[in-house]
Each structure stands twice: as structure tokens, then as C-alpha cells.
Amino acid sequence: MNGDSALDEMADGSGHAKPHWRSLLSTMFALGHETLAQRAHLLDQAFAEEGITAILPGERAVNWRCDPIPLLLSASEFSALETGLAQRARLMELILADLYGPQALMAEGLIPPDVVYGNPAFLRPCRTVDGRRRDRYLSFYAADMLRGPDGAWRVMADRTGQAQGLAYALENRRMLSRIVPELFQSQRIQHLRQYLEITSEALQALAPDDGAAVALLSGGHADPLWFEHVLLARELSIGLVEAGDLTLRNGQVFLKTLRGLQRIGVLLRREEGHRVDSLELSAGAGIPGLLDAIRGGSVRMVNDPGSGLAEAPALTAFLPALARRLLGEDLRLASQATLWLGEGAVVRTVLRDLEGWVVRRATDGDAPPIVPMQLSTADRAELAVRMEADPASFAASVAPTPSVAPCAGAHGLEARPIALRMFMTFDGTRWRAFPGGLARALSEEDALAGRLPRNALSKDVWVMADETSTVQGALGLLTPTLAIRRTSGDLPSRVADNFYWLGRYLERLEEAARLQRAMITRILRPSPTAREIAEMQVLVASLAKAKMMEAEDASVLGAGMLAASVMRAFRHDGGMRRVLAHVARQVQQLRDRLTGEMHTVLTRSLRILGENMKRLPPDSNVRSLEYASNLTTEILEFAATVAGLAAENMVRGGGRLFLDFGRRMERAQSITGELAQVLDQPGALTQPGRVEAGLRLALELRDSVITYRARYLAVLQPAPALDLILADEGNPRGLAFQLTTARELLREIVEDGDSLLMSMEPLLQESRGIVQEVLRSPDQMATTARLPAQLRKLEQAIGAVADRVSRRYFTLLPVARSLGMDSEPLRGAA
């Protein structure tokens, strides 16, 4: 243990371990330092592969870690915190109701107008004109707290906007219980499931009508807290939607699905409040008309879009007086002593001892605080000048001395200061606390308040069960019996679109790997034959068409130059890296729709592929080419793994349907375009050998050489080869298989006789007709040499069908704009 202060959280005033820590300490010492260090490493690895840090190639890294030693709260301590936080939540509700209503608190001088009107979180359209409001402003609340040297917890920041971080706490518990199960033995810890059930049922109870669904409104995969949105939606058994997924009809909110519109009655907001309505708040962002629907009561939003107003650090200075005015009582859980510098000579009081304060923007609860004692003399002087010039823009809190707790370190237990975030939910009658929390071990770079950092060492928080406590059930709300459903049409259009493009990008990645491997194999041969040189010409053209090679390189046939061009595709911003990044982005967008196993395999494989591409040797010699060839093999193995996971892990229909459909249509276009490319060679009409070489290459690229040899021995003729490539419905690498599979997939979402379904039959007839035409010809080689134009028309026809599917099910429309505003439209599934 580094320093006596490391016992602050687990020791009492006499230096002895607190009773609720003793059992855990015994287990920790029994495990020993080496075992704890090993478990800490396993936790880091688990988070990297399947948790919060499972970020894909090209994405900004998140380094969220969980310490193997939890933070313990006794039952009595937790009860006192719950009572104090419930009082603060009630106070925040009353403050928001007044500021968005009669504004009596400002009229009485209890809240300065600068703190409200100068706050970007104050959304004027959210104010009720008549002062009456049916809905609450807050259903969720959180607070960031520190324990001082006197042992008392104090609130550093109130979280009334989105109360973020709950999913991080859930993930910490899940990981810790799996990696260090010994710590949980013989421990009476309050379970988390009951809180989630209460929260889920409270959300369902808010729905204005039976049958109206609950959904979490997210900013999408680009949001830094996308992981939380995915996990929270899963744990609460609610949908995960984005603004583009929703539309308004007759004042009601609907989710756009493949089957039609699905009514939404409650939106759990995990999007910035000013971005929820593009008509009244931010042009180009949000659902046009949503605020009007909220006012009309057809949809509830929790928390209210304007609830972030109460997070203003300056407001903290007035909470004691506001509590006495609105609640008739003093705060049971005090804030860290805070001053708003816009009052009188307060700024001079702070500037006299600037190092003893923590400075924050007066109205921005997300901005990290400034700690003057950590600044250089010049920076501290510059801060003082800014504060004196515009004091109303700043609030200052007495610099805290947070308590410390033991953390697993490289050389034993280390003392680290701790910040604790606790979460509250209003269950319809009272505020309830989450029986845990999110604790963070602070370093000099960590913010004491503000947004959750992307890099942090966190702790699971255990609330010890009272010996006399009994398990209390969740709210007994009556829910209707659920009808059994096995449909694929309830899938949101955006999700179907993402699955479709994941399938297409996976197929493009696989096809590019086959082309690259074929090219590298020929470059590595010391003395290529004339036929191999002709094949390399065809491969160059195919790679250029697939954007795996620059167009100007297509005319170069020197082995060295070709090797350099091939290697560029695997390097930074090369074609292979770009397609891999497209796959990664689709996987990230579909995180809420993929099983845990499938997501883990995908992210781990993508990360390994990305890292292996970064290790590609810088030159273009034989060793580098062999390394690149191994990379193509890894990519093909990855594609096969994804296909197997989809077949065995995904329910037939829904996401799997569009994933498979996207792959089939992409492969169908690739087969026809590729075959046209290999047959379209100069002099093919007069030189049958060129046609034969093209067919051999086509069989190789379709992975059908062995099948052809098994059927026809070594004799290569055009009709049998084309039959295997174009018309054999049993060949999974052939065109007919792709078209028949795509047709059967369409049958699951369209009615018999639908024009979309009927459009598949002419494509199959055309592929069979090509083979029959060649088979009947007296000169099969010449007839085959004239096929490229016909094949390219077939490729275009397949693309036209794919476009029709996209227009019908995924078409992305611009969101409505405010009149007179000129902004870029968002994309949203229609």
C-alpha cells in the first residue's frame, strides 16, 4: 500500500478496516498481488475485445478500464446518499418547472437571469406559455460526488440532462463478476436487476396509449457514448432509434420499419436536447415537429429536452436558498462550496487565492473544470485576466481534497483519489437509487466534473445488503399478454439498410482479396508464361475496376511496378484499407443488432486485420508480397467466418435476410462484370487460346477449378465452364445460385406476384440462355468471345434490381428544414 491515505475509503477513524470491507480484504490478500495483477490484465483484455474499448479500425480509441478492486458502500451509507440525492432530484424538478414556467425564482432574485438566459441549454421553445404542464422534466438524475477529509460526501455536479454512465457501471459489474468471481463469494451485495426492471416498467407506464413502444433516441454510432446507448437499450428491452428512423403523422411519432409505421409513445433521450427538433431548435438536426408532439401529449420524452439547464455550475451557488424556498428544508446532501463570480465583489474573493479554487464555465456543465494549482504561472495569470474581465461567465468551487481508495497497481495496491457518480430513477411515485454506481480513479488529467472521459480507470461500486433487508419486487404493473411474432418486417429501415451494406462491403472485401491473391501469385513467379502475362493484364483491369489499383497503373506490366501498385492497396488509405473501414463502420452501427458472440468475433478479427496491415513491410520485395498474400488468406478466412456465424447465430429473416441479400446481389454483379472482363481480350475472336485463358482465370476466381476438373477432367470447353459459372444453381460461387437465393430471400418480405420478385426471373433466364447459346454454337470459342457486351448488360440489370430494393426499403430522405435556413440535410430511412 502506498501511503496511509489509501485507507480513506476502507478504514475507519481509528485506522481499522470498516466492517463491510473485512471479508473482501481477506479474499484480496488470499488471491495475492500477482493474481490481482493478472486479473487486472484480463479485465483490460476483455474490455478491449468485447466491451467499451472494442473500437474498430479507423475509429478513435477509447481506453476505459475497470480496476479489479471494487468500491464498497455500506447499506446505511447508501441509504443516506439515496435520501439526499432524492431530495436534490425533487429540487431540480421544481427549479426546471419554474424556469420553464412562471419564472418566479428569477423575479424573486433567487436565480440571476444571466444564469438562465445566458445558458445555451435553456431552450425557449420548451417553455410552457400558460404555466401548466402535464409531464415531468426529470425521470432520471445523476450526481458526481467526492468524499472529503471529514468523511462526508459532497456533490460536485448535478446531472439532469441525460444522466450518462449507467451502462458503464453495468458493464463493470458484468466483467468483474466473470474475471474475478472469487471476490463475490460470501458477499451480500445488492443486485442490479431489480433497478433495471423498475426503470423498464416506469418507462412503459409513461406511454400515453397501449401498444405505443418505448425507444432510446440516440445520436448514432458517431456519438462517443454509442456503447452506452446500445447496452442500455438491450438491458431495458427497448428499441434503439435515431432521428432519421422517426417520422410524425397527425401529431404522433412513428418508427419507420419495413412493414410500415410503428407507434412510439416514449423516447428515452440520449441525444443533446437542442438536436431533437429540426423545426424549433436546430435546423437540420432532429425530428421535425417533435416538440409539438411532446406538447400535445402523444409522446413523452425523458428527460425533457431542456432539462440540461439545471446542470449549470453557477446554479449550484444558489441551491441552499432554493431548497429552503421550494422544499422548506435544508439540503441533506450538500454541494461542494461554490460561488458565482457575477455577484458583486465575489470575483476578487476568488482571485485573492486562486489556487484554492476550481474554476468552471458558469453555464456549461459539460466543460471540464480548470484547476489553477495545476497551471503554470503564466497560464494562471491569463485565467485571472479572463475571470476579471467577464466574471459572470465563471463559477468557482473550493478545491476539494477527495478521499482515496486502493487500486491494483504494477507494484501492489496504490492509493488513488476517487469520484463517484450515482444514478436515480423516478418510478412513478418516488425516486430510487441504482444500487451501485460508477466510480473513477482520478489522475491529474481527469476532470473532477464535466463529461465522462474517454480514458479512465473505473471501479465497480458495491452496495452491501442490510442483514435485515428483504428483497422487494419490481412494480406490479399490468402488462398485456404478448402475442407470438415471427416477422422480419418490424426491422427499422435504417437497420435493414446497414445490414444490406454490411453484406455488400463484406463481399467486396472478399472479392478484392481473391483478385489480389491471384495477382500476387503470378508476380511471385520468376518467369511468367505468355498466358500468365495475359492473365495479369486481365487482373490489372479487374483490380482497377474494383478500385484496388490506380487507373494509371493499369498500363504498367513490369513486375516491380505492379508489385508496388498491389502493395499500395494494403497501405494507408489504400483500396483494401478503405473497404475494411467500410465494413468496420457498418459493424459499429449494427452493434445493437449483433449477438455478443458475433460482435466479439467481428471486432476482434477486424482489429487484427487492421493491425496486420499496419505491419506490412514498407518495400515491395518478395517478402512483402508474401506477407500481403498471407493477408488475403486472412481476409478470406474472415469472410468465411462471418458467413458461418450468420448462418448459425442469426435468426432467419430480419437482419440476416438483408445481410445475405446484400452479399448475393454484390456477388452476382461481381461474377458478371468479372467474367466480361476476363473474356474481353484483344484478338479473342481470332485467337481461341485467349478465350480459354480467360475461362481458366474465371474458374480460379470463382473457386470452381476443382469442381470443373471433377466433372470434366482436364478438358476445358466454353459451355461447361460457363454453365458452372453462370447457370449451375448448386454452385455457391456461381451466378445462378446468387440469383435464386436472392429471389427466395425476397419471397420472405414481398407477396407473390410482386413486381420486385418477378424481376428476378428474367435475370435467371438470361444466365441460362447465355449457356444454351454457347452450347448450340458450332464455334463455342467465337461465341464466347462475343459475350462481354451481353454480360455487362446483365450486370447492369442486376444492379437495377438492387437499386429497386434500395429505393423501396432503404431510401434515405432529407429531414425537413426550417424556412429560410440553409443547412445540410440529415439522412434518415424512409
Side-chain angles (χ1 to χ4, degrees):
M1 187 75 65
N2 297 335
D4 295 338
S5 60
L7 296 174
D8 281 5
E9 285 294 341
M10 65 182 187
D12 56 22
S14 61
H16 298 96
K18 296 177 182 178
H20 56 280
W21 274 90
R22 291 170 187 165
S23 176
L24 179 66
L25 288 172
S26 298
T27 305
M28 285 168 49
F29 288 120
L31 287 173
H33 163 63
E34 291 187 2
T35 301
L36 277 178
Q38 181 187 39
R39 300 298 176 84
H41 174 72
L42 290 175
L43 277 169
D44 291 346
Q45 186 177 4
F47 270 99
E49 293 183 352
E50 58 188 281
I52 294 167
T53 60
I55 298 299
L56 304 169
E59 299 292 335
R60 183 182 171 194
V62 172
N63 184 25
W64 185 273
R65 301 166 51 222
C66 180
D67 188 63
I69 304 172
L71 178 69
L72 273 57
L73 298 177
S74 67
S76 59
E77 185 175 26
F78 173 74
S79 177
L81 288 173
E82 181 179 39
T83 300
L85 292 175
Q87 182 200 43
R88 292 182 75 98
R90 294 197 310 272
L91 177 60
M92 295 297 168
E93 173 70 29
L94 294 174
I95 291 172
L96 288 169
D98 177 79
L99 295 179
Y100 282 111
Q103 297 186 337
L105 297 176
M106 283 195 291
E108 296 174 20
L110 292 172
I111 298 179
D114 287 354
V115 176
V116 179
Y117 295 131
N119 193 331
F122 178 62
L123 305 181
R124 286 171 173 78
C126 294
R127 189 180 176 196
T128 53
V129 179
D130 56 6
R132 294 176 297 176
R133 179 183 174 87
R134 184 176 66 176
D135 297 343
R136 298 180 56 83
Y137 285 88
L138 297 181
S139 291
F140 297 93
Y141 165 80
D144 292 327
M145 299 179 292
L146 299 173
R147 191 202 296 269
D150 58 355
W153 289 99
R154 291 179 178 84
V155 175
M156 285 295 298
D158 296 283
R159 297 295 165 200
T160 58
Q162 301 178 48
Q164 298 165 338
L166 180 59
Y168 289 69
L170 294 171
E171 189 71 355
N172 283 348
R173 177 66 57 87
R174 183 177 73 89
M175 291 290 193
L176 192 65
S177 62
R178 195 182 79 193
I179 304 298
V180 199
E182 298 91 340
L183 297 182
F184 291 81
Q185 296 173 0
S186 304
Q187 299 288 339
R188 288 179 53 84
I189 308 170
Q190 291 193 31
H191 298 290
L192 309 181
R193 172 53 50 186
Q194 179 187 353
Y195 178 88
L196 296 173
E197 292 173 354
I198 291 171
T199 301
S200 178
E201 292 186 349
L203 287 171
Q204 296 289 344
L206 290 175
D209 300 305
D210 291 339
V214 180
L216 186 151
L217 178 61
S218 168
H221 76 287
D223 191 300
L225 293 177
W226 170 243
F227 169 84
E228 171 165 73
H229 305 169
V230 172
L231 183 58
L232 204 56
R234 283 183 179 176
E235 293 293 339
L236 297 177
S237 300
I238 60 179
L240 179 61
V241 301
E242 299 175 24
D245 299 333
L246 304 176
T247 187
L248 266 77
R249 296 288 189 276
N250 298 321
Q252 296 182 336
V253 178
F254 292 90
L255 171 66
K256 294 172 282 191
T257 73
L258 300 178
R259 187 174 297 277
L261 298 177
Q262 177 186 354
R263 174 80 187 282
I264 298 294
V266 181
L267 286 171
L268 173 57
R269 181 174 63 83
R270 282 298 183 268
E271 173 67 293
E272 296 294 337
H274 68 273
R275 295 179 58 85
V276 300
D277 190 327
S278 59
L279 292 180
E280 298 193 51
L281 296 173
S282 294
I287 307 104
L290 181 59
L291 279 185
D292 193 54
I294 293 173
R295 294 188 200 100
S298 66
V299 65
R300 307 284 179 85
M301 176 169 281
V302 292
N303 286 338
D304 187 87
S307 59
L309 171 64
E311 293 188 0
L315 187 63
T316 305
F318 308 101
L319 291 183
L322 291 170
R324 290 188 289 271
R325 163 67 172 78
L326 296 173
L327 300 175
E329 52 194 38
D330 292 326
L331 287 175
R332 298 184 182 183
L333 185 60
S335 305
Q336 184 73 4
T338 300
L339 299 174
W340 177 54
L341 306 192
E343 286 189 313
V346 172
V347 65
R348 289 196 290 274
T349 302
V350 174
L351 291 177
R352 275 196 295 268
D353 181 24
L354 188 55
E355 294 184 34
W357 298 83
V358 172
V359 180
R360 301 184 66 189
R361 302 297 300 183
T363 58
D364 189 352
D366 286 334
I370 304 170
V371 184
M373 70 174 62
Q374 295 178 2
L375 299 178
S376 66
T377 302
D379 289 341
R380 196 158 52 245
E382 190 270 337
L383 172 64
V385 170
R386 286 191 288 126
M387 292 170 61
E388 195 165 19
D390 185 16
S393 295
F394 294 93
S397 302
V398 174
T401 304
S403 63
V404 293
C407 299
H411 306 290
L413 298 183
E414 298 177 354
R416 299 281 296 273
I418 296 295
L420 172 63
R421 176 172 292 190
M422 286 186 61
F423 305 92
M424 305 288 290
T425 292
F426 188 73
D427 67 5
T429 57
R430 66 184 181 89
W431 285 94
R432 293 181 180 234
F434 175 69
L438 184 63
R440 289 188 292 117
L442 302 173
S443 65
E444 288 189 0
E445 293 78 19
D446 286 330
L448 299 173
R451 287 183 182 270
L452 288 175
R454 296 181 68 89
N455 303 285
L457 175 65
S458 62
K459 281 178 170 288
D460 187 18
V461 178
W462 291 6
V463 176
M464 312 308 293
D466 193 336
E467 295 291 337
T468 61
S469 64
T470 58
V471 177
Q472 183 177 0
L475 297 177
L477 299 177
L478 296 177
T479 56
T481 302
L482 298 177
I484 294 175
R485 294 189 299 176
R486 296 175 184 171
T487 64
S488 57
D490 291 337
L491 195 69
S493 300
R494 173 185 52 83
V495 176
D497 185 36
N498 289 336
F499 271 115
Y500 172 77
W501 281 105
L502 175 60
R504 297 204 69 154
Y505 284 129
L506 282 167
E507 188 58 32
R508 288 180 191 180
L509 184 66
E510 180 180 350
E511 183 60 29
R514 292 185 184 280
L515 289 170
Q516 295 282 21
R517 186 171 65 173
M519 175 61 87
I520 293 171
T521 300
R522 286 159 175 79
I523 294 175
L524 287 173
R525 289 172 184 166
S527 299
T529 64
R531 190 188 76 186
E532 289 170 342
I533 291 175
E535 289 173 346
M536 290 168 69
Q537 289 178 315
V538 174
L539 287 169
V540 165
S542 297
L543 285 167
K545 181 182 178 183
K547 298 182 179 179
M548 294 294 135
M549 185 177 285
E550 297 298 331
E552 55 268 22
D553 294 339
S555 59
V556 177
L557 274 179
M561 296 294 291
L562 279 178
S565 183
V566 166
M567 297 299 288
R568 276 198 292 272
F570 294 91
R571 303 194 194 283
H572 177 67
D573 202 31
M576 299 296 289
R577 295 284 287 272
R578 287 196 300 269
V579 178
L580 190 69
H582 283 310
V583 173
R585 277 192 289 272
Q586 296 302 127
V587 169
Q588 186 74 343
Q589 290 175 346
L590 290 167
R591 186 167 188 167
D592 62 313
R593 297 285 173 167
L594 299 173
T595 65
E597 180 181 355
M598 191 168 186
H599 181 264
T600 298
V601 171
L602 283 170
T603 52
R604 181 188 299 153
S605 301
L606 286 167
R607 191 182 301 108
I608 291 172
L609 281 172
E611 291 171 354
N612 288 346
M613 285 188 184
K614 291 178 181 178
R615 287 195 285 266
L616 188 70
D619 46 31
S620 303
N621 56 23
V622 172
R623 184 174 65 91
S624 300
L625 286 168
E626 289 175 345
Y627 187 96
S629 181
N630 290 333
L631 279 176
T632 63
T633 301
E634 291 179 23
I635 290 171
L636 294 176
E637 291 173 351
F638 167 68
T641 300
V642 174
L645 281 171
E648 298 298 328
N649 285 42
M650 295 183 70
V651 175
R652 295 183 182 275
R656 179 187 166 182
L657 186 155
F658 286 97
L659 173 70
D660 201 15
F661 184 79
R663 293 200 72 165
R664 300 305 163 196
M665 297 306 285
E666 183 70 27
R667 187 176 294 178
Q669 286 186 266
S670 177
I671 292 170
T672 51
E674 193 177 84
L675 184 58
Q677 197 76 45
V678 301
L679 295 177
D680 192 7
Q681 299 188 44
L685 283 170
T686 59
Q687 301 178 49
R690 289 186 176 272
V691 175
E692 180 180 342
L695 289 172
R696 289 185 186 279
L697 181 57
L699 288 171
E700 178 187 341
L701 294 174
R702 290 297 105 215
D703 200 19
S704 299
V705 174
I706 293 177
T707 303
Y708 185 88
R709 288 176 178 171
R711 291 182 182 180
Y712 307 106
L713 300 179
V715 179
L716 180 64
Q717 293 184 4
L722 292 172
D723 177 71
L724 185 57
I725 296 170
L726 295 178
D728 188 345
E729 297 181 10
N731 179 13
R733 292 285 167 187
L735 176 63
F737 181 89
Q738 316 312 318
L739 296 178
T740 54
T741 302
R743 181 184 61 187
E744 296 309 309
L745 290 169
L746 283 177
R747 288 189 191 279
E748 298 187 35
I749 56 174
V750 302
E751 302 291 337
D752 289 338
D754 188 283
S755 62
L756 195 56
L757 188 63
M758 300 294 289
S759 65
M760 298 298 296
E761 195 59 36
L763 302 178
L764 280 164
Q765 292 175 0
E766 178 73 7
S767 64
R768 297 170 187 142
I770 290 172
V771 176
Q772 291 302 313
E773 179 185 352
V774 173
L775 182 63
R776 290 192 298 266
S777 173
D779 188 350
Q780 291 191 10
M781 290 294 184
T783 303
T784 303
R786 287 189 287 266
L787 288 179
Q790 191 174 353
L791 289 167
R792 290 192 173 101
K793 287 183 179 179
L794 180 56
E795 179 187 10
Q796 292 173 359
I798 294 169
V801 173
D803 289 343
R804 287 185 61 190
V805 172
S806 182
R807 284 195 301 271
R808 179 181 293 191
Y809 295 109
F810 321 133
T811 300
L812 303 177
L813 301 175
V815 174
R817 309 182 195 180
S818 300
L819 292 176
M821 301 299 290
D822 185 16
S823 59
E824 290 296 322
L826 293 182
R827 300 170 75 238

